[in-house]
């Protein structure tokens, strides 16, 4: 989110340009955050306030009591340079809230955000009636009782896109907790001026301003002072079988089952992804080496499902590690997407640490939301993790009843990293044997489901995300139908006993 080349833009990064993106209840969205940065023309008074660490904090509303009524939490934020997004991520980590990144339908450019140039942001802030359009929406806004609302300070106020957001939903009886990011000015009247956009039944709690150098401890201290309900706190890496998602350590939610596109041709990709999305699936896995990234991107763009609801994973192959930054841009261009939900390193190789650091920069630039690894095991992780800054959100390995990784999965999960299994049905040349296994077939018969459904459900109950590959729409629909039955402890153990430590691919 901080991708600038001039001195003016570097200052913008410090003060925080607001970004755009959206997450939740499904994953996704562009980067972002902090206020239109003050450029060289910023007033001397503001500069002095920043240098002395002056922070203004004022009540953001008439009601400043605690949000103790219970219910689900949502962090909704608008961001452009990463500062507001970082604060939002820390709130999400601390509270387990869902997240929604407010993304402009017409993304802001660096020129749009330059202060005092008469550009788009200047014009919008000077026009009380300006309402920039938002891409995507929050699903079932009524499920949230408490909403953290984050934004950068632009000309002393919240960006007009925040007004668009507040006027797009009914927030009756909801508690809203504003927070802002700013180079020097406090939250001031920015939150109070939003009150008239909502019902009188909204409870506005006291807002908080965070500077560009705020620490996670500052956010945690503030959260602790709010007396938030604990009943709805969701743990990172915890599977939610109701929403069919898992909360990643990056703050984004990811579906726990989807579609693998390995070996699918462009035409097969289009048909398969259409079937997946029609059946309610939202997770798609591809890779540079699959040769179908462009087809995946086309299928996503052609779908009636909003981009924010779809979670796309791709991977960099080792032959891309020495030019990882360019490879990331190539993937974005090939897919025709504004952002990629997750990029993994396909497997260990020369330059993998440097390639991962490039992924970290892509996160900072808003090009990628979450990053991770594929085909990394205990020894590889122990060597790799101390050399990087961002803990992987996901590790994707071969996992099926004949190769269970029962020593690896708990280790990865203990680090707060989600595990995803490829070849969940055994892989090419082995699927028929696995689906015909007597133990699995007997369990399937008992539940009146297919062997494939039993294996996929076994994975889910081990908190392993599944991405079975298929070009058959009927099989794709069946592979998503995993929540009408539950395996018993005895059945889980019976499948566990099938482990042969039999790997079906060389990774």
């Amino acid at each position: 989110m901080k991708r600038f080349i001039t001195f003016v833009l570097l200052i913008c990064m410090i003060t925080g340009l607001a970004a755009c993106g959206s997450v939740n209840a499904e994953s996704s969205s562009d980067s972002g955050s902090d206020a239109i940065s003050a450029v060289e023309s910023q007033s001397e008074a503001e500069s002095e306030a920043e240098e002395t660490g002056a922070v203004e904090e004022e009540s953001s509303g008439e009601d400043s009591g605690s949000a103790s009524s219970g219910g689900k939490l949502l962090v909704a934020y608008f961001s452009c340079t990463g500062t507001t997004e970082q604060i939002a991520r820390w709130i999400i980590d601390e509270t387990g809230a869902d997240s929604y990144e407010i993304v402009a339908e017409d993304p802001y450019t660096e020129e749009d955000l330059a202060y005092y140039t008469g550009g788009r942001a200047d014009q919008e802030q000077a026009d009380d009636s300006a309402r920039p359009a938002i891409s995507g929406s929050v699903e079932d806004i009524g499920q949230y009782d408490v909403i953290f609302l984050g934004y950068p300070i632009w000309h002393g106020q919240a960006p007009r896109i925040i007004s668009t957001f507040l006027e797009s939903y009914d927030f009756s009886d909801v508690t809203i907790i504003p927070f802002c990011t700013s180079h020097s000015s406090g939250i001031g009247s920015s939150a109070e001026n939003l009150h008239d956009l909502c019902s009188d039944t909204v409870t506005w709690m006291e807002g908080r301003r965070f500077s560009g150098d705020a620490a996670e401890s500052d956010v945690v201290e503030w959260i602790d002072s709010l007396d938030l309900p604990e009943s709805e706190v969701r743990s990172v890496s915890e599977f939610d079988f109701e929403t069919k998602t898992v909360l990643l350590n990056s703050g984004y939610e990811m579906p726990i089952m989807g579609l693998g596109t390995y070996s699918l041709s462009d035409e097969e990709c289009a048909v398969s992804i259409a079937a997946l999305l029609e059946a309610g699936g939202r997770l798609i896995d591809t890779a540079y080496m699959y040769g179908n990234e462009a087809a995946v991107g086309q299928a996503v763009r052609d779908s009636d499902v909003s981009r924010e609801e779809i979670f796309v994973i791709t991977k960099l192959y080792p032959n891309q590690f020495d030019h990882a930054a360019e490879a990331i841009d190539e993937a974005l261009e090939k897919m025709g997407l504004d952002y990629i939900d997750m990029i993994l390193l396909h497997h260990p190789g020369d330059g993998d640490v440097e390639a991962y650091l490039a992924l970290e920069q892509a996160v900072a630039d808003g090009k990628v939301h979450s990053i991770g690894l594929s085909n990394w095991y205990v020894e590889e992780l122990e060597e790799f993790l101390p050399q990087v800054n961002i803990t992987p959100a996901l590790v994707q390995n071969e996992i099926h009843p004949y190769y269970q990784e029962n020593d690896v999965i708990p280790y990865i999960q203990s680090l707060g990293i989600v595990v995803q299994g490829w070849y969940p049905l055994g892989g090419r040349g082995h699927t028929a044997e696995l689906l015909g296994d007597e133990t699995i077939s007997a369990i399937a018969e008992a539940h009146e489901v297919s062997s494939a459904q039993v294996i996929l459900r076994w994975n889910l109950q081990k908190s392993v995300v599944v991405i079975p590959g298929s070009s058959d729409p009927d099989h794709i629909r069946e592979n998503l139908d995993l929540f009408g039955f539950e395996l018993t402890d005895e059945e889980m153990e019976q499948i566990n006993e099938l482990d042969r430590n039999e790997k079906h691919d060389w990774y």
Side-chain angles (χ1 to χ4, degrees):
M1 306 86 169
K2 307 175 189 122
R3 192 164 164 252
F4 309 102
I5 54 176
T6 66
F7 174 72
V8 169
L9 291 174
L10 283 172
I11 294 181
C12 288
M13 176 175 67
I14 296 172
T15 61
L17 299 179
C20 320
S22 96
V23 194
N24 246 20
E26 241 259 4
S27 133
S28 297
S29 126
D30 274 65
S31 81
S33 140
D34 216 19
I36 299 187
S37 46
V39 292
E40 294 172 298
S41 58
Q42 180 188 29
S43 71
E44 293 181 1
E46 287 177 317
S47 298
E48 180 181 352
E50 171 64 16
E51 291 170 2
T52 58
V55 177
E56 297 179 14
E57 297 179 14
E58 296 185 23
S59 172
S60 64
E62 303 168 349
D63 299 307
S64 58
S66 64
S68 57
S69 60
K72 292 193 68 174
L73 309 181
L74 174 70
V75 176
Y77 66 94
F78 171 70
S79 176
C80 275
T81 65
T83 310
T84 303
E85 182 177 33
Q86 181 60 76
I87 302 300
R89 293 288 161 228
W90 285 334
I91 296 173
I92 293 163
D93 289 346
E94 180 66 16
T95 65
D98 289 344
S99 70
Y100 173 74
E101 189 175 4
I102 301 169
V103 186
E105 190 172 277
D106 180 13
Y108 290 90
T109 66
E110 293 172 0
E111 291 76 14
D112 291 337
L113 298 171
Y115 246 17
Y116 304 125
T117 62
R120 174 184 170 190
D122 285 344
Q123 294 174 27
E124 288 177 356
Q125 292 308 100
D127 181 0
D128 290 345
S129 65
R131 294 295 185 269
I134 294 174
S135 174
S137 61
V138 182
E139 290 188 9
D140 191 13
I141 192 74
Q143 67 182 302
Y144 299 107
D145 289 345
V146 179
I147 296 177
F148 287 87
L149 180 61
Y151 51 86
I153 292 294
W154 288 8
H155 289 293
Q157 297 297 321
R160 299 301 180 198
I161 198 168
I162 297 299
S163 299
T164 308
F165 173 75
L166 290 174
E167 292 175 343
S168 298
Y169 303 94
D170 179 5
F171 293 106
S172 299
D173 302 320
V174 171
T175 294
I176 298 179
I177 309 173
F179 65 95
C180 74
T181 53
S182 172
H183 179 54
S184 57
S185 58
I187 196 166
S189 63
S190 69
E192 293 178 2
N193 290 341
L194 300 173
H195 291 189
D196 290 342
L197 304 176
C198 298
S199 164
D200 291 339
T201 62
V202 170
T203 298
W204 288 85
M205 290 182 64
E206 183 176 359
R208 173 69 181 263
R209 171 263 186 188
F210 294 94
S211 63
D213 60 356
E216 184 174 5
S217 58
D218 299 324
V219 174
V220 172
E221 181 180 359
W222 177 57
I223 295 298
D224 289 344
S225 72
L226 296 177
D227 189 25
L228 293 170
E230 298 181 359
S231 59
E232 295 293 342
V233 172
R234 182 175 177 188
S235 300
V236 170
S237 303
E238 177 184 356
F239 276 30
D240 186 331
F241 278 27
E242 290 187 9
T243 64
K244 303 172 186 176
T245 62
V246 58
L247 179 63
L248 303 171
N249 61 27
S250 59
Y252 291 92
E253 286 187 338
M254 180 180 72
I256 56 178
M257 73 284 190
L259 175 71
T261 63
Y262 174 59
S263 79
L264 295 184
S265 67
D266 288 355
E267 183 176 350
E268 288 173 326
C269 263
V271 173
S272 298
I273 292 173
L276 176 85
L277 297 176
E278 182 180 356
R282 297 292 185 264
L283 174 62
I284 304 166
D285 177 82
T286 184
Y288 166 77
M289 282 301 291
Y290 297 174
N292 56 21
E293 284 178 315
V296 169
Q298 185 68 51
V300 170
R301 299 196 310 273
D302 289 347
S303 171
D304 292 334
V305 178
S306 68
R307 171 67 184 96
E308 291 75 20
E309 293 184 42
I310 303 173
F311 198 103
V312 178
I313 301 175
T314 192
K315 311 175 194 72
L316 300 186
Y317 207 68
N319 62 7
Q320 297 177 293
F321 289 175
D322 63 354
H323 59 284
E326 292 82 359
I328 294 165
D329 288 340
E330 289 170 6
L332 282 163
E333 182 177 359
K334 195 180 300 182
M335 290 187 176
L337 302 178
D338 293 331
Y339 63 90
I340 296 173
D341 297 278
M342 179 178 288
I343 296 184
L344 313 176
L345 300 186
H346 206 129
H347 62 78
D350 291 340
D352 51 16
V353 171
E354 291 75 13
Y356 191 88
L357 296 178
L359 291 181
E360 293 184 349
Q361 185 59 49
V363 171
D365 292 340
K367 299 176 181 180
V368 180
H369 288 168
S370 305
I371 57 179
L373 305 167
S374 183
N375 303 299
W376 254 261
Y377 301 89
V378 175
E379 291 184 7
E380 291 87 348
L381 288 169
E382 288 178 340
E383 178 182 355
F384 186 86
L385 293 181
Q387 302 180 72
V388 300
N389 305 301
I390 298 178
T391 301
L394 181 82
V395 171
Q396 183 189 105
N397 288 339
E398 178 180 347
I399 299 171
H400 48 77
Y402 291 165
Y403 187 73
Q404 298 189 16
E405 291 194 18
N406 288 321
D407 57 337
V408 180
I409 293 174
Y411 170 76
I412 295 173
Q413 292 173 337
S414 73
L415 301 174
I417 302 171
V418 172
V419 176
Q420 187 176 73
W422 54 266
Y423 275 1
L425 303 181
R428 293 179 302 173
H430 302 275
T431 302
E433 178 188 9
L434 186 56
L435 296 183
D437 185 283
E438 292 183 0
T439 297
I440 294 172
S441 297
I443 295 173
E445 184 177 355
H447 289 278
E448 298 183 344
V449 296
S450 70
S451 292
Q453 288 172 304
V454 167
I455 294 170
L456 297 176
R457 178 73 194 199
W458 168 78
N459 275 277
L460 295 185
Q461 289 184 211
K462 290 164 69 77
S463 295
V464 173
V465 177
V466 290
I467 46 170
S470 179
S471 60
D472 185 323
D474 290 335
H475 290 166
I476 291 170
R477 286 188 285 270
E478 178 183 287
N479 292 342
L480 296 173
D481 186 13
L482 307 175
F483 300 92
F485 70 103
E486 181 177 357
L487 302 180
T488 66
D489 291 343
E490 181 181 359
E491 289 168 338
M492 290 290 292
E493 184 55 36
Q494 288 174 356
I495 299 175
N496 290 343
E497 291 174 357
L498 299 178
D499 192 11
R500 304 174 180 174
N501 197 30
E502 180 179 290
K503 210 169 187 320
H504 293 162
D505 216 324
W506 65 274
Y507 291 129

